[in-house]
Amino acid sequence: MSGSSAALQPPADAVKPVRHPDAPAPGELLGAHYGHCFGCGPGQPHGLHLEARAGEGVSLTAEFTVQPAHQGAPGLAHGGVLATALDETLGSLNWLLRTIAVTGRLETDFVRPVPVGTTLHLQAEVTAVAGRKIYCTAAGRIGGPDGPLAVRADALFIEVKVDHFIDHGRTEEIQAAMSDPDQIRRARAFEVNP
Protein backbone atom coordinates (compact mmCIF):
# COMPACT_ATOMS: atom_id res chain seq x y z
CA MET A 1 0.00 0.00 0.00
CA SER A 2 2.98 2.30 -0.51
CA GLY A 3 1.16 4.62 -2.93
CA SER A 4 -1.96 5.07 -0.81
CA SER A 5 -2.89 8.08 1.29
CA ALA A 6 -2.13 8.38 4.98
CA ALA A 7 -5.77 7.46 5.75
CA LEU A 8 -5.09 3.99 4.35
CA GLN A 9 -1.89 3.35 6.30
CA PRO A 10 -2.57 1.07 9.28
CA PRO A 11 -1.62 2.60 12.65
CA ALA A 12 1.32 1.26 14.63
CA ASP A 13 -0.98 -0.78 16.89
CA ALA A 14 -2.71 -2.59 13.99
CA VAL A 15 -2.70 -6.37 14.12
CA LYS A 16 -2.50 -9.07 11.50
CA PRO A 17 -5.97 -10.20 10.37
CA VAL A 18 -7.24 -13.55 11.63
CA ARG A 19 -9.45 -15.74 9.49
CA HIS A 20 -12.63 -16.70 11.36
CA PRO A 21 -12.76 -20.44 12.20
CA ASP A 22 -16.17 -20.67 10.48
CA ALA A 23 -15.03 -18.89 7.30
CA PRO A 24 -15.58 -20.77 4.03
CA ALA A 25 -12.78 -23.18 3.12
CA PRO A 26 -10.13 -22.09 0.59
CA GLY A 27 -11.50 -22.53 -2.93
CA GLU A 28 -15.14 -22.35 -1.80
CA LEU A 29 -17.43 -20.08 -3.81
CA LEU A 30 -18.77 -17.34 -1.53
CA GLY A 31 -21.92 -16.71 -3.54
CA ALA A 32 -23.91 -13.49 -3.59
CA HIS A 33 -24.25 -11.71 -0.27
CA TYR A 34 -27.57 -10.24 -1.44
CA GLY A 35 -29.60 -11.22 -4.50
CA HIS A 36 -30.17 -7.63 -5.62
CA CYS A 37 -26.59 -6.40 -5.08
CA PHE A 38 -25.28 -4.64 -8.20
CA GLY A 39 -21.85 -6.20 -7.65
CA CYS A 40 -22.65 -9.85 -7.02
CA GLY A 41 -26.41 -10.40 -7.07
CA PRO A 42 -27.98 -12.73 -9.65
CA GLY A 43 -31.16 -10.60 -9.51
CA GLN A 44 -29.52 -7.61 -11.20
CA PRO A 45 -29.83 -7.96 -14.99
CA HIS A 46 -27.06 -5.39 -15.66
CA GLY A 47 -25.03 -6.13 -12.52
CA LEU A 48 -21.46 -7.41 -12.47
CA HIS A 49 -22.42 -10.93 -11.31
CA LEU A 50 -19.01 -11.01 -9.66
CA GLU A 51 -18.08 -14.41 -8.21
CA ALA A 52 -15.64 -14.63 -5.31
CA ARG A 53 -13.83 -17.65 -3.87
CA ALA A 54 -12.18 -17.91 -0.48
CA GLY A 55 -8.39 -18.04 -0.56
CA GLU A 56 -5.79 -18.86 2.06
CA GLY A 57 -5.67 -16.74 5.19
CA VAL A 58 -7.81 -13.63 4.79
CA SER A 59 -7.64 -13.46 1.00
CA LEU A 60 -9.87 -14.26 -1.93
CA THR A 61 -10.05 -14.31 -5.69
CA ALA A 62 -12.92 -13.09 -7.84
CA GLU A 63 -13.90 -12.75 -11.48
CA PHE A 64 -16.30 -10.75 -13.54
CA THR A 65 -16.74 -10.38 -17.28
CA VAL A 66 -17.27 -6.87 -18.65
CA GLN A 67 -20.60 -6.70 -20.49
CA PRO A 68 -21.76 -4.07 -23.02
CA ALA A 69 -23.93 -2.49 -20.27
CA HIS A 70 -20.71 -1.82 -18.27
CA GLN A 71 -18.99 0.38 -20.86
CA GLY A 72 -18.05 4.02 -20.52
CA ALA A 73 -15.92 4.88 -23.56
CA PRO A 74 -16.97 2.83 -26.59
CA GLY A 75 -15.92 -0.78 -26.08
CA LEU A 76 -14.23 -0.18 -22.72
CA ALA A 77 -15.34 -0.76 -19.13
CA HIS A 78 -16.53 2.35 -17.29
CA GLY A 79 -14.08 3.35 -14.55
CA GLY A 80 -16.91 3.45 -12.01
CA VAL A 81 -17.82 -0.14 -12.86
CA LEU A 82 -14.19 -1.20 -12.35
CA ALA A 83 -14.15 0.64 -8.99
CA THR A 84 -17.38 -1.19 -8.10
CA ALA A 85 -15.75 -4.54 -8.93
CA LEU A 86 -12.81 -3.70 -6.66
CA ASP A 87 -15.13 -2.49 -3.88
CA GLU A 88 -17.29 -5.63 -4.12
CA THR A 89 -14.19 -7.86 -4.04
CA LEU A 90 -12.71 -6.02 -1.07
CA GLY A 91 -16.04 -6.04 0.77
CA SER A 92 -16.30 -9.80 0.32
CA LEU A 93 -13.18 -10.20 2.44
CA ASN A 94 -15.28 -9.36 5.49
CA TRP A 95 -17.08 -12.69 5.13
CA LEU A 96 -13.74 -14.38 5.93
CA LEU A 97 -13.56 -12.32 9.14
CA ARG A 98 -17.30 -12.91 9.77
CA THR A 99 -17.63 -9.17 10.29
CA ILE A 100 -20.26 -6.73 9.03
CA ALA A 101 -18.37 -3.77 7.59
CA VAL A 102 -18.87 -0.90 5.15
CA THR A 103 -16.48 0.90 2.87
CA GLY A 104 -14.96 3.92 4.59
CA ARG A 105 -12.43 4.83 1.90
CA LEU A 106 -11.49 3.37 -1.48
CA GLU A 107 -8.51 4.58 -3.50
CA THR A 108 -8.34 3.20 -7.01
CA ASP A 109 -5.61 3.26 -9.65
CA PHE A 110 -6.60 2.64 -13.26
CA VAL A 111 -3.52 1.16 -14.93
CA ARG A 112 -4.84 0.06 -18.34
CA PRO A 113 -8.15 -0.06 -20.22
CA VAL A 114 -10.38 -3.11 -19.80
CA PRO A 115 -12.28 -3.97 -23.00
CA VAL A 116 -15.88 -5.22 -23.12
CA GLY A 117 -15.83 -9.02 -23.17
CA THR A 118 -12.75 -9.18 -20.93
CA THR A 119 -12.81 -11.27 -17.76
CA LEU A 120 -11.18 -9.35 -14.94
CA HIS A 121 -9.35 -11.61 -12.47
CA LEU A 122 -9.26 -10.02 -9.01
CA GLN A 123 -7.20 -10.88 -5.95
CA ALA A 124 -7.73 -9.26 -2.55
CA GLU A 125 -6.47 -9.58 1.00
CA VAL A 126 -6.89 -7.98 4.39
CA THR A 127 -3.54 -6.55 5.45
CA ALA A 128 -4.27 -5.24 8.96
CA VAL A 129 -6.99 -4.66 11.56
CA ALA A 130 -7.08 -1.86 14.12
CA GLY A 131 -10.18 -1.85 16.32
CA ARG A 132 -13.18 -1.41 13.96
CA LYS A 133 -10.90 -0.51 11.01
CA ILE A 134 -10.08 -3.17 8.42
CA TYR A 135 -7.30 -2.37 5.91
CA CYS A 136 -7.20 -4.25 2.63
CA THR A 137 -5.84 -4.24 -0.91
CA ALA A 138 -6.92 -5.65 -4.28
CA ALA A 139 -5.68 -5.94 -7.85
CA GLY A 140 -7.46 -6.81 -11.10
CA ARG A 141 -5.67 -8.46 -14.02
CA ILE A 142 -6.64 -9.15 -17.62
CA GLY A 143 -6.40 -12.58 -19.23
CA GLY A 144 -5.75 -14.57 -16.05
CA PRO A 145 -4.54 -14.28 -12.45
CA ASP A 146 -1.00 -13.58 -13.68
CA GLY A 147 -2.04 -11.34 -16.60
CA PRO A 148 -1.25 -7.66 -16.98
CA LEU A 149 -2.38 -5.40 -14.13
CA ALA A 150 -5.42 -3.30 -15.10
CA VAL A 151 -6.73 -1.86 -11.80
CA ARG A 152 -5.77 -1.84 -8.15
CA ALA A 153 -7.19 -0.41 -4.96
CA ASP A 154 -6.47 0.08 -1.30
CA ALA A 155 -9.40 0.39 1.08
CA LEU A 156 -10.48 0.96 4.62
CA PHE A 157 -13.62 -0.80 5.85
CA ILE A 158 -15.34 0.06 9.11
CA GLU A 159 -17.05 -2.61 11.20
CA VAL A 160 -20.70 -1.73 11.91
CA LYS A 161 -23.69 -3.25 13.65
CA VAL A 162 -26.67 -4.43 11.60
CA ASP A 163 -28.52 -1.33 12.89
CA HIS A 164 -26.52 0.70 10.35
CA PHE A 165 -28.54 -0.91 7.57
CA ILE A 166 -31.84 -0.88 9.44
CA ASP A 167 -31.48 2.84 10.16
CA HIS A 168 -30.44 3.83 6.63
CA GLY A 169 -31.91 1.23 4.22
CA ARG A 170 -35.31 1.10 2.56
CA THR A 171 -37.83 -0.56 4.85
CA GLU A 172 -39.23 -3.13 2.39
CA GLU A 173 -35.79 -4.52 1.43
CA ILE A 174 -34.61 -4.54 5.04
CA GLN A 175 -37.73 -6.41 6.19
CA ALA A 176 -37.42 -8.94 3.34
CA ALA A 177 -33.79 -9.62 4.19
CA MET A 178 -34.45 -9.79 7.95
CA SER A 179 -37.29 -12.27 7.46
CA ASP A 180 -35.22 -14.69 5.33
CA PRO A 181 -35.40 -18.06 7.15
CA ASP A 182 -31.84 -18.93 6.05
CA GLN A 183 -29.68 -17.45 8.83
CA ILE A 184 -26.53 -17.36 6.71
CA ARG A 185 -28.27 -15.54 3.85
CA ARG A 186 -29.86 -13.16 6.33
CA ALA A 187 -26.48 -12.33 7.91
CA ARG A 188 -24.71 -12.03 4.56
CA ALA A 189 -27.31 -9.59 3.19
CA PHE A 190 -25.84 -6.97 5.50
CA GLU A 191 -22.15 -7.67 5.06
CA VAL A 192 -21.02 -5.45 2.20
CA ASN A 193 -21.45 -1.69 1.86
CA PRO A 194 -24.28 0.64 2.81
Side-chain angles (χ1 to χ4, degrees), residues 42-142:
Q44 285 292 343
H46 298 295
L48 305 186
H49 301 154
L50 184 137
E51 291 191 341
R53 289 188 183 278
E56 299 292 332
V58 189
S59 72
L60 58 77
T61 59
E63 291 182 2
F64 99 95
T65 301
V66 179
Q67 302 298 321
H70 303 146
Q71 64 192 311
L76 298 175
H78 190 289
V81 167
L82 296 175
T84 300
L86 288 161
D87 186 43
E88 184 69 30
T89 301
L90 289 159
S92 295
L93 288 165
N94 295 309
W95 188 237
L96 302 177
L97 299 172
R98 297 299 287 267
T99 296
I100 298 172
V102 296
T103 311
R105 186 176 187 99
L106 176 72
E107 291 186 10
T108 306
D109 295 312
F110 301 95
V111 180
R112 66 172 27 92
V114 180
V116 170
T118 299
T119 298
L120 195 63
H121 298 264
L122 298 128
Q123 297 171 312
E125 68 176 329
V126 177
T127 56
V129 176
R132 294 175 47 224
K133 295 181 177 181
I134 300 164
Y135 297 85
C136 44
T137 187
R141 298 179 179 277
I142 296 173

Side-chain angles (χ1 to χ4, degrees), residues 1 11 22 29 32-33 39-40 49 72 82 123 139 168 182:
M1 297 195 337
D22 296 331
L29 188 65
H33 75 90
C40 66
H49 301 154
L82 296 175
Q123 297 171 312
H168 301 287
D182 184 316

